[in-house]
Amino acid sequence: MTLLLIAVGAAVGAPLRYLADRAVQARHDSVFPWGTLAVNVCGSLVLGFLTWLPTNGPVGALLGTGFCGALTTYSTFSYETLRLTQEGYRFYALANAVASVVAGLGAAAVGALLAWAVTGS
């Protein structure tokens, strides 16, 4: 059952990642990977929220591992950072690495604080 929940979450998260990435990137005339940054920060916020919830069994499999795992993408973040470096955009590569880590951790912390505020524990 857990594997099925993960698959269902991933079946929603992966296409959503692609569509959100393309929608965000289409609004920016820049080599900076705004779409990947956006989906990774959003996924970190959701995962931070989920990790604070007291019960996380099936919900964690569906939303945490499945949905957030497919929505966020460390491999694309890595690829895009390396691509920026190879193409001579070293400042953008560094900015992408720093912004992704700082914003991702910050979003996860905000998500945990929101869950704490909602649950009161």
Side-chain angles (χ1 to χ4, degrees):
M1 185 58 155
T2 301
L3 188 58
L4 179 62
L5 290 171
I6 292 169
V8 169
V12 174
L16 183 61
R17 172 177 53 87
Y18 176 78
L19 294 172
D21 174 66
R22 295 295 87 208
V24 170
Q25 200 63 41
R27 288 171 173 71
H28 296 279
D29 187 24
S30 171
V31 295
F32 190 84
W34 290 107
T36 301
L37 178 63
V39 295
N40 285 345
V41 170
C42 289
S44 294
L45 177 77
V46 172
L47 195 54
F49 184 88
L50 292 172
T51 57
W52 195 265
L53 296 179
T55 58
N56 207 8
V59 172
L62 176 70
L63 298 177
T65 305
F67 178 74
C68 289
L71 177 67
T72 60
T73 173
Y74 189 79
S75 59
T76 302
F77 154 69
S78 301
Y79 165 77
E80 289 173 341
T81 303
L82 288 174
R83 181 185 50 81
L84 288 168
T85 302
Q86 290 172 338
E87 293 177 2
Y89 299 107
R90 287 178 179 80
F91 172 78
Y92 286 126
L94 180 62
N96 186 41
V98 171
S100 293
V101 171
V102 171
L105 289 173
V110 168
L113 287 172
L114 287 171
W116 176 78
V118 169
T119 62
S121 59

